[in-house]
Amino acid sequence: MTEKPLAIYRPVFVLWVALLHQLPWQLFFTFAVGVPLIDIFAKPVRSLLGKPTTLWDVFLPYIIMFCLIFILYPIVVCIARAMNYRTTVYRVYADRLEIEEGFLTIHAKRLMFRDVREVSLRRGVLQRGAGLGSVYLATQATGNSPSWNPYAQFGMGSTFGSGALIRDIPEAGEAYERLRGLMDAARRD
């Protein structure tokens, strides 16, 4: 017989939170990636449009490329985040937390509560607006905050590093209290 988890948490995808969360990156990629891409793709676009006769015709390929990047980037990010959230599950047992996440590459992690040094609750402005929060479990190797994570933009990275991040869950305060109690109990044993 398999052990039954004490709690199961799943992240909640909220479109407006995802869009606002990635807006700074969207602007960055529009300009930082857009300028080199425009130089590559403006010539074929210009050849389709014909010889430019006005100032508008000169800038139209650039405007098209900036708009495509500005619109496509959030679509890709939101689809990736939604797909990842749909497949992510956090299972809490008496002595451990087990995480499974990912839609292209599956990541799994088991974090023993005896190894957890700190439990932190984070409820940012956007998360509070959606009734969500995140709980971070730090081990001695991670310190007291999540390290930089290249996959966070896509809603991935709960298993990145030696700690664990239970992200964007409803009733995060209750999860925080439960996990803190389990960590304290494991450290007493």
Side-chain angles (χ1 to χ4, degrees):
M1 186 171 135
T2 60
E3 182 182 5
K4 185 176 178 180
L6 300 174
I8 296 176
Y9 301 109
R10 291 185 173 274
V12 176
F13 177 78
V14 179
L15 181 61
W16 69 267
V17 171
L19 288 171
L20 287 175
H21 184 260
Q22 59 79 42
L23 184 61
W25 287 103
Q26 178 182 357
L27 294 171
F28 171 77
F29 281 114
T30 298
F31 292 100
V33 176
V35 171
L37 283 178
I38 285 172
D39 287 338
I40 294 169
F41 292 109
K43 290 176 186 171
V45 171
R46 191 174 289 123
S47 68
L48 289 173
L49 298 173
K51 185 174 180 176
T53 56
T54 65
L55 193 57
W56 172 256
D57 294 338
V58 171
F59 286 106
L60 186 59
Y62 298 101
I63 294 168
I64 291 170
M65 288 307 300
F66 271 116
C67 289
L68 281 175
I69 294 168
F70 190 77
I71 291 168
L72 289 179
Y73 178 78
I75 290 171
V76 169
V77 168
C78 286
I79 289 171
R81 183 176 287 233
M83 290 176 70
N84 187 68
Y85 275 24
R86 193 166 41 114
T87 60
T88 298
V89 63
Y90 309 103
R91 290 182 186 89
V92 178
Y93 296 91
D95 62 339
R96 68 191 181 280
L97 169 69
E98 292 183 358
I99 300 172
E100 290 179 25
E101 74 173 0
F103 63 96
L104 292 176
T105 301
I106 305 298
H107 300 271
K109 182 173 199 161
R110 176 187 288 185
L111 182 65
M112 303 305 289
F113 289 130
R114 69 174 179 268
D115 298 329
V116 174
R117 299 293 177 241
E118 181 178 325
V119 179
S120 304
L121 173 65
R122 181 183 183 279
R123 295 191 70 224
V125 173
L126 298 178
Q127 287 177 313
R128 284 194 316 267
L132 304 174
S134 297
V135 179
Y136 180 68
L137 290 87
T139 62
Q140 191 162 349
T142 58
N144 61 359
S145 67
S147 60
W148 181 79
N149 175 1
Y151 306 110
Q153 187 65 22
F154 301 101
M156 297 180 276
S158 298
T159 61
F160 190 81
S162 60
L165 179 64
I166 302 173
R167 71 173 74 242
D168 294 335
I169 58 171
E171 298 154 6
E174 291 174 20
Y176 166 75
E177 291 299 331
R178 172 179 275 164
L179 292 166
R180 203 174 82 177
L182 291 169
M183 179 199 75
D184 290 344
R187 295 188 75 195
R188 281 192 297 264
D189 293 341

